Amino acid sequence: DDPADTAADDVPLPVASLQLSSSPPSSTVPPRILSLSLNQDGSCLACGTTDGFRIHSLHPTRETFRRHFGAGVAHVQMLFRCN
């Protein structure tokens, strides 16, 4: 018996795993802003962040839409108020 042959059988191989989640990370670090843009009539602000994007209405000022991707969105534009 060759010791090299038995040692290879006893060593477990590391297994890589990938976990996909649609929920936001449990981290308390807020996302950073990557880009800001106004729509054509200045009524909405599109905000690209390190975890997705957000749309804010400016009249009245409130967040109207948010999408979390778990990855950054570097450029966001909104066509008037329809998309």
Side-chain angles (χ1 to χ4, degrees):
D1 289 48
D2 184 5
D5 290 338
T6 58
D9 294 335
D10 296 336
V11 177
L13 296 175
V15 177
S17 65
L18 177 63
Q19 296 177 346
L20 299 176
S21 173
S22 60
S23 62
S26 60
S27 172
T28 59
V29 177
R32 290 188 345 250
I33 295 173
L34 299 177
S35 69
L36 292 172
S37 64
L38 291 169
N39 63 344
Q40 286 90 333
D41 63 2
S43 63
C44 291
L45 178 70
C47 179
T49 68
T50 53
D51 70 352
F53 70 91
R54 299 171 188 203
I55 304 296
H56 298 266
S57 173
L58 299 178
H59 309 290
T61 304
R62 65 183 171 93
E63 183 178 89
T64 58
F65 188 79
R66 177 187 300 199
R67 179 62 52 100
H68 173 81
F69 294 117
V73 175
H75 187 79
V76 178
Q77 278 191 301
M78 185 169 175
L79 179 60
F80 290 99
R81 293 184 68 95
C82 64
N83 66 345

